[in-house]
Amino acid sequence: MFKKIPRLLILLLSIVTLTIFLPSKTHASLFISGESFETFTDGWGITYFPLDPIMEKLGGVKSSPSDSMTFQYIISHDTEKDILIFDKDTNQIKVNGNLIEPKYYKDNNQIYVPFVVLELMNTLETVDSGLIDTFIVIPPKYHYTDIAVYNLGTDEYTLPNNIYETSSSEDALKHITYDYTGSVCVPSGQKLPLVIFLHGSYLRNSLSTYYDLGFSDNMKALANEGFVSLGLNLTPVYSLETLESDRTALYEAQKALFRKILKKHLQALINSVNNDSNPYAFEMKDKIDFNNIILVGHSRGGQNLFLGYEILKEMGLNVKGTISIAPANYWPPFTNYPDIPASIILPQLDGDVHTLDGRQIFDTMRLQERNSDLHLIYLYNANHNNFNSLIFKLDNSFIDEEGNVLKEPMPDNEQRTFASKYIIDFSKACIKNGSLSPLLYNQDGILYNQKVLISFYKGNSTSLFEATSDSDFKNLYGNFEKIIASNDKQKHTAGNLRLPGLSNYYPLALLKFRTIDDKLGLNLLNTNNFKPFDTLCFEIMQDSTDSLNKNINQMLDITLVDHNGVSFTISTPPNTYALQYQPGEMARIPLRDQDVETIYSNLTPLSTLMIPLSDFSNTLDFSNISRIEISPSESVGQGSFVLQSIYLSSINSSSNSDKIIFPNNSDLKTRNLTKIIVYICIICILCLLLFIFYRKKSKSPRK
């Protein structure tokens, strides 16, 4: 047996050697003008790119004489020219007459060429992206709707006391040096609206990363709709750290550096539009209308865009709206959000900001006095990272302790397509009139081919009940109790609910209807004139963790009673999205920083149940409604619900073009049936006409 040990060791050593030194492909990306091409790095660290598609993108002209054992690509630009010759026999490559050492190879009818070829060419430039396995090539010429990278130069930031850069020890650096890098996408035209992208905090190789290129899909889609877009590098802001005992100093240092970087990028853009100077690859004279700006931020960028709003306002620039995508409340929450149209996108499978902090932002904004619309989208099967194509870390919020996948994310390209469509429509709505009513889902609960839940607060709505108000609770009667959802287990009284945006104190009303006679009533003491409004809104959900709901979608009866005692009741349609069941089970799930908790495996988000007042009888005196009652629908008979607020809105009052259609399954079926009948009638009439024409033709005398 002992004689076999040396042989086993030799075999093991051979396997390890082969594993290390045999070529093994690892995926990487190469960016040209905003388009991403897949590359491979072999076991010797040599990166290869697919030749033909990249040469086509760079404008290369291919020639291959039939009697020659070579083929070549020629790229010309102004006074520069590159000639690439490829030997079909030896697989060797010459770049402008110089033979290079790595050879090309073929795989599945595709030719792969070492990246060094691009580095040796005269007509283009390669740029360090600051990211692992990501390469940037600046082509000979940019075209409108291409995405161009830029560098405004190098700067230095002096670190305050107790602040250090994360890749060094606390006392190693007193200064950090970084480049003002970013990307810009410009369509043809003048006085165009501007969308600014702010990325979040991710892994990096340097302080001059191009994470803004992760929004290339969005930027190119915006360019096709006539928007200029700008992405800038914020990595230096996210690189600062301090002792846990001095977080205030850290936040102030980060905000100061954020202000410095943002103002530098904006001033350069303003100068280029005024034709003072132009560091970009496009003609920028009079390109941008700085009165129409939209801010879009992802992750930490989704929170710091509110500071960005203040900075732009100081510079005399007009921000028309903000979109926070999977935002993280990293800095202390803002207390005074801008009163402009705002939207928040919460991905269901967010494994980074697993608490879905955007709900806290939404609630804070909603409770302020607002004249502008507020929109929150809960996007099913979306995760945190796939909004930015350059983040490769996987989310894991819906994997249990044993590694079982409880929820599969949607394809990353679908997630970015959703974001692009929404950003475009949101931006257009903000520039048009600021109304976000047209951005509500259709009758199937679908928005841009994806399942969503929506919370919508129309500007100038009037509150009837708020769970944050103790005095409002005094106006309630019937089957309810006040509960507190909290991340402090000592304060938590909300059972197994897994709510987005959970904080230390999140008051709610729990409605438990065990029989058809149970109900919740709200006495209206002050605001009882419903005439100026068209919609009664409930921020509500069913408690999917309660067996009382029997794991099915729920229905409610809503009753209005006027001061004369006249009442009218309507039932919510079956499968109303705000009352749907969120399937799940109790499971042990590792959350951020590998904490493992036993929680409900699915989130139970609040959303807005919108009831058109036109559904109620006109026999009611809408100028003086005294009471609202909620009870279980007769078809269900019981149920458990969680209520946050009740308010009056004028959702359909903006203009005829902004009118929305509320979900109503029976109406939808009726409309579809009507369409089918109309189509059948048209087909029958056409067939009859053809038959008559044929009969006349057949009876006509022949010449």
Side-chain angles (χ1 to χ4, degrees), residues 480-550:
F480 81 95
E481 63 176 293
K482 183 176 182 178
I483 58 173
I484 303 298
S486 176
N487 49 29
D488 183 342
K489 294 181 180 179
Q490 300 299 319
K491 300 177 182 177
H492 186 80
T493 59
N496 296 324
L497 289 177
R498 185 181 173 192
L499 288 159
L502 202 58
S503 60
N504 283 331
Y505 184 77
Y506 203 83
L508 299 162
L510 177 63
L511 322 180
K512 278 197 179 278
F513 303 139
R514 292 182 171 83
T515 71
I516 194 67
D517 297 322
D518 289 342
K519 67 181 176 181
L520 168 81
L522 171 65
N523 290 317
L524 302 177
L525 304 180
N526 299 316
T527 304
N528 32 19
N529 183 7
F530 283 28
K531 276 193 170 183
F533 307 96
D534 60 31
T535 309
L536 178 63
C537 299
F538 300 83
E539 198 67 11
I540 197 170
M541 66 180 182
Q542 71 149 290
D543 181 359
S544 298
T545 70
D546 194 329
S547 60
L548 199 62
N549 286 312
K550 300 178 181 178

Coordinates of all heavy atoms in Angstrom, one line a residue, residues 480-550:
F480 N -60.3 45.6 14.8 CA -58.9 45.9 14.5 C -58.1 46.0 15.7 O -58.6 46.1 16.9 CB -58.9 47.3 13.8 CG -59.0 48.5 14.7 CD1 -57.8 49.1 15.2 CD2 -60.2 48.9 15.2 CE1 -57.9 50.2 16.1 CE2 -60.3 50.0 16.1 CZ -59.1 50.6 16.5
E481 N -56.8 46.0 15.5 CA -55.8 46.3 16.6 C -54.6 47.0 16.0 O -54.3 46.8 14.9 CB -55.4 45.0 17.3 CG -54.6 44.0 16.5 CD -54.2 42.8 17.3 OE1 -53.3 43.0 18.1 OE2 -54.7 41.7 17.0
K482 N -54.0 47.8 16.8 CA -52.8 48.5 16.4 C -51.6 47.6 16.6 O -51.4 47.0 17.7 CB -52.6 49.8 17.2 CG -51.4 50.6 16.7 CD -51.2 51.9 17.5 CE -50.1 52.8 16.9 NZ -50.0 54.1 17.6
I483 N -50.8 47.4 15.6 CA -49.6 46.6 15.7 C -48.4 47.4 15.3 O -48.5 48.4 14.6 CB -49.7 45.3 14.8 CG1 -49.9 45.7 13.3 CG2 -50.8 44.4 15.2 CD1 -49.9 44.6 12.3
I484 N -47.2 46.9 15.7 CA -46.0 47.6 15.4 C -45.1 46.6 14.7 O -44.8 45.5 15.2 CB -45.2 48.1 16.6 CG1 -46.1 49.1 17.4 CG2 -43.9 48.8 16.2 CD1 -46.5 50.3 16.6
A485 N -44.7 46.9 13.4 CA -43.7 46.1 12.7 C -42.3 46.7 13.0 O -42.2 48.0 12.8 CB -43.9 46.0 11.2
S486 N -41.4 46.0 13.5 CA -40.1 46.6 13.9 C -39.0 45.6 13.7 O -39.1 44.4 13.8 CB -40.2 47.0 15.3 OG -38.9 47.5 15.8
N487 N -37.8 46.1 13.3 CA -36.6 45.3 13.3 C -36.0 45.1 14.7 O -35.0 44.3 14.8 CB -35.5 45.8 12.3 CG -35.2 47.3 12.6 OD1 -35.4 47.8 13.7 ND2 -34.9 48.0 11.5
D488 N -36.6 45.7 15.7 CA -36.3 45.5 17.1 C -37.3 44.4 17.6 O -38.5 44.7 17.7 CB -36.4 46.8 17.9 CG -36.0 46.6 19.4 OD1 -36.0 45.4 19.8 OD2 -35.8 47.6 20.0
K489 N -36.8 43.2 17.9 CA -37.7 42.1 18.2 C -38.5 42.4 19.5 O -39.5 41.8 19.7 CB -36.9 40.8 18.3 CG -36.2 40.4 17.0 CD -35.5 39.1 17.2 CE -34.9 38.7 15.8 NZ -34.1 37.4 15.9
Q490 N -38.0 43.2 20.4 CA -38.7 43.6 21.6 C -39.9 44.4 21.3 O -40.9 44.4 22.0 CB -37.8 44.3 22.5 CG -36.5 43.5 23.0 CD -36.9 42.3 23.7 OE1 -37.8 42.2 24.5 NE2 -36.2 41.2 23.4
K491 N -39.9 45.2 20.2 CA -41.0 46.1 19.9 C -42.0 45.4 18.9 O -43.1 45.9 18.7 CB -40.5 47.4 19.3 CG -39.6 48.2 20.2 CD -39.1 49.4 19.5 CE -38.1 50.2 20.3 NZ -37.6 51.4 19.6
H492 N -41.5 44.4 18.2 CA -42.3 43.8 17.1 C -43.5 43.1 17.5 O -43.5 42.1 18.3 CB -41.4 42.8 16.3 CG -42.0 42.3 15.0 ND1 -42.1 43.0 13.8 CD2 -42.7 41.1 14.8 CE1 -42.7 42.3 12.9 NE2 -43.0 41.2 13.4
T493 N -44.7 43.5 17.0 CA -46.0 42.8 17.4 C -46.7 42.4 16.1 O -47.9 42.1 16.2 CB -46.8 43.7 18.3 OG1 -47.1 44.9 17.5 CG2 -46.2 44.1 19.6
A494 N -46.1 42.4 15.0 CA -46.8 42.2 13.7 C -46.6 40.7 13.2 O -46.8 40.4 12.0 CB -46.2 43.1 12.6
G495 N -46.3 39.8 14.1 CA -46.3 38.4 13.7 C -45.2 38.1 12.7 O -44.1 38.5 12.9
N496 N -45.5 37.3 11.7 CA -44.6 36.8 10.8 C -44.4 37.6 9.5 O -43.8 37.3 8.6 CB -44.9 35.3 10.3 CG -44.9 34.4 11.5 OD1 -44.0 34.5 12.4 ND2 -45.8 33.4 11.5
L497 N -45.1 38.8 9.5 CA -45.0 39.6 8.3 C -43.6 40.0 8.0 O -42.8 40.4 8.9 CB -45.8 40.9 8.6 CG -47.3 40.8 8.6 CD1 -48.0 42.1 9.0 CD2 -47.9 40.3 7.3
R498 N -43.3 40.0 6.7 CA -41.9 40.4 6.2 C -42.2 41.6 5.3 O -42.4 41.5 4.1 CB -41.2 39.3 5.5 CG -39.8 39.7 5.1 CD -39.2 38.5 4.3 NE -37.9 38.9 3.8 CZ -37.2 38.1 2.9 NH1 -37.7 37.0 2.5 NH2 -36.1 38.5 2.4
L499 N -42.1 42.8 5.9 CA -42.5 44.0 5.2 C -41.3 44.7 4.6 O -40.2 44.8 5.2 CB -43.2 45.0 6.2 CG -44.6 44.7 6.6 CD1 -44.9 45.4 7.9 CD2 -45.6 45.1 5.5
P500 N -41.4 45.3 3.4 CA -40.3 46.1 2.9 C -40.2 47.4 3.7 O -41.2 47.9 4.2 CB -40.8 46.5 1.4 CG -41.8 45.4 1.1 CD -42.5 45.0 2.4
G501 N -39.0 47.9 3.8 CA -38.8 49.2 4.5 C -38.9 49.1 6.0 O -39.3 50.1 6.6
L502 N -38.7 48.0 6.6 CA -38.9 47.8 8.0 C -38.0 48.7 8.8 O -36.8 48.8 8.5 CB -38.7 46.4 8.4 CG -39.4 45.9 9.7 CD1 -40.9 46.2 9.7 CD2 -39.1 44.5 10.0
S503 N -38.5 49.4 9.8 CA -37.7 50.3 10.7 C -37.9 49.9 12.1 O -38.5 48.9 12.4 CB -38.1 51.8 10.4 OG -39.5 52.0 10.8
N504 N -37.5 50.7 13.1 CA -37.7 50.4 14.5 C -39.1 50.6 14.9 O -39.6 49.9 15.9 CB -36.8 51.3 15.3 CG -35.3 50.8 15.3 OD1 -35.0 49.7 15.2 ND2 -34.4 51.8 15.5
Y505 N -39.8 51.5 14.2 CA -41.2 51.7 14.6 C -42.0 51.9 13.3 O -41.9 52.9 12.7 CB -41.2 53.0 15.5 CG -42.6 53.3 16.0 CD1 -43.2 52.6 17.1 CD2 -43.4 54.4 15.5 CE1 -44.4 52.9 17.6 CE2 -44.6 54.7 16.0 CZ -45.2 53.9 17.0 OH -46.4 54.2 17.5
Y506 N -42.9 50.9 13.0 CA -43.7 51.0 11.8 C -45.1 50.6 12.2 O -45.5 49.4 12.2 CB -43.1 49.9 10.8 CG -43.4 50.2 9.4 CD1 -42.7 51.1 8.6 CD2 -44.5 49.5 8.8 CE1 -43.0 51.3 7.3 CE2 -44.8 49.7 7.4 CZ -44.0 50.6 6.7 OH -44.3 50.8 5.4
P507 N -45.9 51.6 12.6 CA -47.3 51.3 13.1 C -48.2 51.0 11.9 O -48.2 51.5 10.9 CB -47.7 52.6 13.8 CG -46.9 53.7 13.1 CD -45.6 53.0 12.7
L508 N -49.1 50.0 12.2 CA -50.1 49.6 11.2 C -51.4 49.2 12.0 O -51.4 49.0 13.2 CB -49.6 48.3 10.4 CG -48.3 48.6 9.6 CD1 -47.7 47.2 9.3 CD2 -48.6 49.3 8.3
A509 N -52.5 49.0 11.2 CA -53.7 48.5 11.8 C -54.0 47.1 11.2 O -54.0 46.9 10.0 CB -54.9 49.5 11.4
L510 N -54.2 46.2 12.1 CA -54.5 44.8 11.7 C -56.0 44.6 11.8 O -56.6 44.8 12.8 CB -53.8 43.8 12.7 CG -54.0 42.3 12.4 CD1 -53.5 41.9 11.1 CD2 -53.4 41.5 13.5
L511 N -56.6 44.2 10.6 CA -58.0 44.0 10.6 C -58.2 42.5 10.5 O -57.8 41.8 9.6 CB -58.6 44.6 9.3 CG -58.0 46.0 8.9 CD1 -58.8 46.5 7.7 CD2 -58.2 47.0 10.1
K512 N -58.9 41.9 11.5 CA -59.3 40.5 11.5 C -60.8 40.3 11.4 O -61.5 40.7 12.3 CB -58.7 39.8 12.7 CG -57.2 39.5 12.6 CD -56.8 38.5 13.7 CE -55.4 38.1 13.6 NZ -55.2 37.1 12.6
F513 N -61.2 39.7 10.2 CA -62.6 39.5 10.0 C -62.8 38.0 10.0 O -62.5 37.3 9.0 CB -63.0 40.1 8.7 CG -62.8 41.6 8.5 CD1 -62.3 42.1 7.4 CD2 -63.0 42.4 9.6 CE1 -62.1 43.4 7.2 CE2 -62.8 43.8 9.5 CZ -62.3 44.3 8.3
R514 N -63.4 37.5 11.1 CA -63.6 36.0 11.2 C -65.0 35.6 10.7 O -65.2 34.5 10.4 CB -63.4 35.6 12.7 CG -61.9 35.7 13.1 CD -61.8 35.2 14.6 NE -60.4 35.2 14.9 CZ -59.6 36.2 15.3 NH1 -60.2 37.4 15.4 NH2 -58.4 36.1 15.6
T515 N -65.9 36.6 10.7 CA -67.2 36.3 10.2 C -67.7 37.4 9.2 O -67.1 38.5 9.2 CB -68.3 36.2 11.3 OG1 -68.5 37.5 11.9 CG2 -67.8 35.2 12.4
I516 N -68.7 37.1 8.5 CA -69.2 38.1 7.6 C -69.7 39.4 8.2 O -69.8 40.5 7.6 CB -70.4 37.5 6.7 CG1 -70.7 38.4 5.5 CG2 -71.6 37.2 7.6 CD1 -69.6 38.4 4.5
D517 N -70.0 39.3 9.5 CA -70.6 40.5 10.3 C -69.5 41.4 10.8 O -69.7 42.5 11.3 CB -71.5 40.0 11.4 CG -72.7 39.3 10.9 OD1 -73.2 39.7 9.9 OD2 -73.1 38.3 11.6
D518 N -68.2 40.9 10.8 CA -67.1 41.7 11.3 C -66.8 42.9 10.4 O -67.0 42.8 9.1 CB -65.8 40.9 11.5 CG -65.9 39.9 12.6 OD1 -66.8 40.1 13.5 OD2 -65.2 38.9 12.6
K519 N -66.4 44.0 10.9 CA -66.1 45.1 10.0 C -65.2 46.1 10.8 O -65.1 46.1 12.0 CB -67.4 45.8 9.6 CG -68.2 46.5 10.7 CD -69.4 47.2 10.1 CE -70.3 47.8 11.2 NZ -71.5 48.4 10.7
L520 N -64.6 47.0 10.0 CA -63.8 48.1 10.5 C -64.6 49.4 10.1 O -64.9 49.5 8.9 CB -62.4 48.2 10.0 CG -61.6 49.5 10.2 CD1 -61.1 49.5 11.7 CD2 -60.5 49.6 9.2
G521 N -64.8 50.4 11.0 CA -65.4 51.6 10.6 C -64.5 52.8 10.9 O -63.7 52.8 11.8
L522 N -64.5 53.8 10.1 CA -63.8 55.1 10.3 C -64.8 56.2 10.3 O -65.4 56.5 9.3 CB -62.7 55.2 9.2 CG -62.0 56.6 9.1 CD1 -61.2 56.8 10.4 CD2 -61.2 56.7 7.9
N523 N -64.9 56.9 11.4 CA -65.7 58.1 11.5 C -64.9 59.3 11.0 O -63.8 59.5 11.4 CB -66.1 58.4 13.0 CG -67.1 57.3 13.5 OD1 -68.0 57.0 12.7 ND2 -66.9 56.9 14.7
L524 N -65.5 60.0 10.0 CA -64.9 61.2 9.4 C -65.4 62.4 10.2 O -66.5 62.8 10.1 CB -65.2 61.3 8.0 CG -64.8 60.1 7.1 CD1 -65.3 60.2 5.7 CD2 -63.3 59.8 7.2
L525 N -64.5 63.1 10.9 CA -64.8 64.2 11.7 C -64.6 65.5 11.0 O -65.4 66.5 11.2 CB -64.1 64.2 13.1 CG -64.2 62.9 13.9 CD1 -63.4 63.0 15.2 CD2 -65.7 62.6 14.2
N526 N -63.5 65.6 10.2 CA -63.2 66.9 9.6 C -63.4 66.8 8.1 O -64.3 67.5 7.5 CB -61.7 67.2 9.9 CG -61.5 67.4 11.4 OD1 -62.3 68.0 12.1 ND2 -60.4 66.8 11.9
T527 N -62.6 66.0 7.4 CA -62.7 66.0 5.9 C -63.8 65.0 5.5 O -63.6 63.8 5.6 CB -61.4 65.5 5.3 OG1 -60.4 66.4 5.8 CG2 -61.4 65.5 3.8
N528 N -64.9 65.5 5.1 CA -66.0 64.6 4.6 C -66.6 65.1 3.3 O -67.6 64.6 2.9 CB -67.1 64.4 5.6 CG -67.3 65.6 6.5 OD1 -66.9 66.7 6.2 ND2 -67.9 65.3 7.6
N529 N -65.9 66.1 2.6 CA -66.4 66.5 1.3 C -65.6 65.7 0.2 O -64.4 66.0 0.0 CB -66.2 68.0 1.1 CG -66.8 68.4 -0.3 OD1 -67.4 67.7 -1.0 ND2 -66.5 69.7 -0.6
F530 N -66.2 64.7 -0.4 CA -65.5 63.9 -1.4 C -65.7 64.4 -2.8 O -65.0 63.9 -3.7 CB -66.1 62.5 -1.4 CG -65.7 61.6 -0.2 CD1 -65.3 62.2 1.0 CD2 -65.6 60.2 -0.3 CE1 -64.9 61.4 2.1 CE2 -65.2 59.4 0.8 CZ -64.8 60.0 1.9
K531 N -66.4 65.5 -3.0 CA -66.7 65.9 -4.4 C -65.5 66.4 -5.2 O -65.4 66.2 -6.4 CB -67.7 67.1 -4.3 CG -69.2 66.6 -4.2 CD -70.1 67.7 -4.5 CE -71.5 67.2 -4.7 NZ -72.5 68.3 -5.0
P532 N -64.4 67.0 -4.5 CA -63.3 67.4 -5.3 C -62.4 66.3 -5.8 O -61.4 66.5 -6.5 CB -62.5 68.3 -4.3 CG -63.5 68.7 -3.3 CD -64.4 67.5 -3.1
F533 N -62.7 65.0 -5.4 CA -61.8 63.9 -5.7 C -62.6 62.9 -6.5 O -63.8 62.9 -6.7 CB -61.4 63.2 -4.4 CG -60.8 64.2 -3.4 CD1 -61.6 64.8 -2.4 CD2 -59.5 64.6 -3.5 CE1 -61.0 65.7 -1.5 CE2 -58.9 65.5 -2.6 CZ -59.7 66.1 -1.6
D534 N -61.8 62.0 -7.1 CA -62.4 60.9 -8.0 C -62.0 59.5 -7.5 O -62.5 58.5 -8.0 CB -62.0 61.1 -9.4 CG -60.5 61.0 -9.7 OD1 -59.8 60.3 -9.0 OD2 -60.1 61.7 -10.7
T535 N -61.1 59.4 -6.5 CA -60.7 58.1 -6.1 C -60.5 58.0 -4.6 O -59.9 58.9 -4.0 CB -59.3 57.7 -6.8 OG1 -59.4 58.0 -8.2 CG2 -58.9 56.3 -6.5
L536 N -61.0 56.9 -4.0 CA -60.7 56.6 -2.6 C -59.6 55.5 -2.6 O -59.7 54.5 -3.2 CB -62.0 56.0 -2.0 CG -61.9 55.6 -0.5 CD1 -61.6 56.8 0.4 CD2 -63.2 54.9 -0.1
C537 N -58.5 55.8 -1.8 CA -57.3 55.0 -1.8 C -57.1 54.3 -0.5 O -57.2 55.0 0.6 CB -56.1 55.8 -2.3 SG -56.2 56.5 -3.9
F538 N -56.7 53.1 -0.5 CA -56.3 52.4 0.7 C -54.9 51.8 0.5 O -54.7 51.1 -0.4 CB -57.2 51.2 1.0 CG -58.7 51.6 1.2 CD1 -59.5 51.8 0.1 CD2 -59.2 51.7 2.5 CE1 -60.8 52.1 0.3 CE2 -60.5 52.1 2.6 CZ -61.4 52.3 1.5
E539 N -54.0 52.1 1.4 CA -52.7 51.5 1.4 C -52.8 50.3 2.3 O -52.9 50.4 3.5 CB -51.6 52.5 1.9 CG -50.2 52.1 1.6 CD -49.9 52.2 0.1 OE1 -50.7 52.7 -0.7 OE2 -48.8 51.7 -0.4
I540 N -52.8 49.1 1.7 CA -53.3 47.9 2.4 C -52.7 46.7 1.8 O -52.1 46.7 0.7 CB -54.9 47.9 2.2 CG1 -55.5 46.9 3.2 CG2 -55.3 47.5 0.8 CD1 -57.0 47.0 3.3
M541 N -52.8 45.6 2.5 CA -52.5 44.2 1.9 C -53.2 43.2 2.8 O -53.7 43.5 3.8 CB -51.0 44.0 2.1 CG -50.5 43.9 3.5 SD -48.7 43.6 3.6 CE -48.5 43.5 5.4
Q542 N -53.3 42.0 2.2 CA -53.7 40.9 3.1 C -52.5 40.3 3.8 O -51.4 40.4 3.3 CB -54.4 39.8 2.2 CG -53.5 39.0 1.3 CD -54.0 37.5 1.2 OE1 -54.0 36.7 2.1 NE2 -54.5 37.2 0.0
D543 N -52.8 39.8 5.0 CA -51.7 39.2 5.8 C -51.5 37.7 5.3 O -52.2 36.8 5.7 CB -52.0 39.2 7.3 CG -51.0 38.6 8.1 OD1 -49.9 38.1 7.5 OD2 -51.1 38.5 9.3
S544 N -50.6 37.6 4.3 CA -50.4 36.2 3.7 C -50.0 35.2 4.7 O -50.0 34.0 4.4 CB -49.5 36.4 2.5 OG -50.0 37.2 1.5
T545 N -49.4 35.6 5.8 CA -48.9 34.6 6.8 C -50.0 34.1 7.7 O -49.8 33.2 8.5 CB -47.8 35.3 7.7 OG1 -48.4 36.3 8.5 CG2 -46.8 35.9 6.8
D546 N -51.3 34.7 7.6 CA -52.4 34.3 8.5 C -53.2 33.2 7.8 O -53.7 33.4 6.7 CB -53.2 35.5 8.8 CG -54.2 35.3 9.9 OD1 -54.7 34.1 10.1 OD2 -54.5 36.3 10.6
S547 N -53.4 32.1 8.4 CA -54.2 31.0 7.9 C -55.7 31.4 7.6 O -56.4 30.7 6.9 CB -54.2 29.8 8.8 OG -54.7 30.1 10.1
L548 N -56.1 32.5 8.3 CA -57.5 33.0 8.1 C -57.8 33.3 6.6 O -58.9 33.2 6.2 CB -57.7 34.2 8.9 CG -59.1 34.7 9.3 CD1 -59.9 33.6 10.0 CD2 -59.1 36.0 10.0
N549 N -56.7 33.7 5.9 CA -56.9 34.0 4.4 C -56.9 32.8 3.5 O -57.1 32.9 2.3 CB -55.8 35.0 4.0 CG -56.0 36.4 4.5 OD1 -57.1 36.9 4.4 ND2 -55.0 36.9 5.1
K550 N -56.6 31.6 4.1 CA -56.7 30.3 3.3 C -55.8 30.3 2.1 O -56.2 29.6 1.1 CB -58.2 30.0 3.0 CG -59.1 29.9 4.2 CD -60.5 29.7 3.8 CE -61.4 29.6 5.0 NZ -62.8 29.4 4.7

